[in-house]
Amino acid sequence: MTKRRRKVSELVKAVNRRLRQSLMRVPHLSARGTRATVALGGGGARGIAHLGAMEVLRGLGIRIEHITGVSIGSLAGALCALNEDISDVQERVIRLVTSEEFQRRQSRMFATAPAADEPATSGLFAWWEQFSRYLGTRRRMLDLISRPSLLPGELIHSIIETLLPDIDIRDVRVPLTIVALDLQSGRQVVMTRGSLRSAVLASTAIPGVFPPVEIDGRQLVDIGVIDALPVAVASEYGSDITIAVDVGADIEPSPPLHTAKDIFLRISDVTERHVRQYTRGMADLVIRPPVSDIPWYDFSRPQELIECGRVAARQTIFREFARSSMSNGQSDAHPR
């Protein structure tokens, strides 16, 4: 271990000690080994922040007995369920997304990324808008008629194959639930067994952008536009607490809208974020990394995203401590 890494490790341990001291004074988190189910939401590249939040939660001694994930949250959840060494998980992800091969694929997939001065969106229709602009109306209509998706599934499939082994979901170390949508029945699908790679591929298959994934005769896709934060599923497992990590963007004011297309896209984006707000209310603890300023398509800043997750998790614990201290009439509401 390098000198710099040793210093970072020592600093992280010191911060975690302070957090654990605060944690012991928060009633619903005070017991060492508190059992938790963690819900990891969708949000494109912003989902890398999940790895920072998970690092802090594990360092606090909270026993994560179940992980649920949607979209990018299913991939992050699978990685954390497979490997309890979160530093190793982070390094693997950083290595992948900064590799020349990944950058080449990203350039192909996100050549239509919006300009910096365009409104940031993160839902299904944000993807559709950018690809539509790139392909053009004529090509888009032909693709809609003749193809199941705008991009081949191999693009995302190769990323999943690189990061995840070809095993059954039941073989991971921490019980894992992956959530997707059945296009034909219109119902939510909760996967706890079967191919890990196929389940994550289905949960990340953005409708219309990537092709549906067939599992047990069902056409499965990303459910993120309907339920991007799987707290309802997580709360069913009966843990001591349910923790949600929401990497969705905030709702920002919009300039005047003048076309039906713009209004349709805006309503879709606002609806997805209001659903997130509703589902966050089902969790006992909500961690919201400050990632709104990072575009959903930008995988070039993994270290920054991971740090955003760490910061948000620590701040959330401190806020819980302060709230508990105030309710109990304690004067030392801010741990030092």
Side-chain angles (χ1 to χ4, degrees):
M1 183 181 292
T2 65
K3 184 177 181 180
R4 181 177 181 275
R5 287 194 63 187
R6 278 197 300 271
K7 287 185 176 179
V8 171
S9 178
E10 290 171 1
L11 178 62
V12 169
K13 289 178 181 178
V15 171
N16 283 343
R17 279 196 298 271
R18 291 177 60 201
L19 284 169
R20 279 195 294 269
Q21 291 170 358
S22 300
L23 196 71
M24 295 301 292
R25 298 170 68 179
V26 179
H28 61 286
L29 299 175
S30 59
R32 179 78 180 178
T34 295
R35 299 177 305 118
T37 293
V38 179
L40 304 179
R46 299 177 182 122
I48 296 176
H50 287 312
L51 304 181
M54 290 293 287
E55 174 190 333
V56 172
L57 292 176
R58 283 182 167 167
L60 294 177
I62 296 173
R63 182 157 62 91
I64 298 174
E65 63 177 6
H66 209 111
I67 300 172
T68 64
V70 161
S71 195
I72 191 69
S74 72
L75 178 56
L79 289 168
C80 293
L82 281 163
N83 188 351
E84 295 187 5
D85 183 351
I86 193 67
S87 295
D88 182 60
V89 173
Q90 292 169 352
E91 288 178 7
R92 290 184 61 213
V93 170
I94 291 170
R95 200 160 51 239
L96 173 66
V97 301
T98 57
S99 68
E100 290 185 7
E101 175 66 13
F102 182 88
Q103 291 173 2
R104 182 184 67 80
R105 290 182 179 275
Q106 185 186 20
S107 177
R108 179 181 174 186
M109 289 173 63
F110 302 106
T112 57
D117 59 348
E118 292 184 32
T121 55
S122 60
L124 162 63
F125 291 99
W127 287 73
W128 174 252
E129 165 71 357
Q130 301 310 321
F131 283 111
S132 296
R133 209 180 307 173
Y134 174 69
L135 294 171
T137 303
R138 186 169 179 272
R139 166 82 180 278
R140 180 173 73 242
M141 293 307 297
L142 289 174
D143 285 343
L144 279 173
I145 294 170
S146 61
R147 295 169 53 185
S149 63
L150 294 174
L151 291 177
E154 287 78 7
L155 291 170
I156 192 69
H157 192 271
S158 64
I159 295 170
I160 291 172
E161 281 192 334
T162 300
L163 290 174
L164 301 179
D166 187 16
I167 62 173
D168 193 282
I169 298 172
R170 292 171 292 185
D171 294 332
V172 298
R173 295 185 178 185
V174 179
L176 174 69
T177 297
I178 296 171
V179 186
L181 173 69
D182 180 351
L183 279 178
Q184 293 164 293
S185 70
R187 295 177 178 174
Q188 180 188 72
V189 176
V190 175
M191 292 173 280
T192 57
R193 63 178 63 195
S195 168
L196 177 64
R197 286 178 174 174
S198 294
V200 172
L201 186 62
S203 188
T204 55
I206 301 169
V209 177
F210 297 114
V213 177
E214 185 168 329
I215 297 178
D216 297 331
R218 298 175 295 187
Q219 287 184 302
L220 304 186
V221 295
D222 184 356
I223 198 175
V225 72
I226 298 172
D227 187 5
L229 195 60
V231 180
V233 174
S235 62
E236 293 177 359
Y237 288 104
S239 298
D240 296 327
I241 58 171
T242 299
I243 302 172
V245 186
D246 182 7
V247 294
D250 294 325
I251 299 176
E252 299 293 341
S254 168
L257 305 174
H258 302 292
T259 68
K261 178 202 71 174
D262 289 339
I263 293 171
F264 184 60
L265 295 173
R266 176 64 174 173
I267 290 298
S268 169
D269 207 42
V270 169
T271 299
E272 187 260 345
R273 296 178 195 186
H274 276 292
V275 172
R276 282 181 187 268
Q277 185 176 3
Y278 172 76
T279 54
R280 285 199 301 265
M282 301 179 188
D284 300 298
L285 201 66
V286 179
I287 298 170
R288 297 194 66 202
V291 292
S292 290
D293 63 322
I294 299 177
W296 54 268
Y297 54 83
D298 185 3
F299 286 85
S300 68
R301 300 149 69 181
Q303 292 96 337
E304 181 180 345
L305 285 161
I306 290 170
E307 182 60 20
C308 283
R310 291 190 189 109
V311 169
R314 291 167 185 157
Q315 289 178 342
T316 300
I317 296 298
F318 280 138
R319 279 197 302 270
E320 285 296 303
F321 166 79
R323 186 179 296 113
S324 175
S325 296
M326 291 178 66
S327 65
N328 292 331
Q330 298 173 10
S331 59
D332 185 16
H334 299 282
R336 298 178 176 81

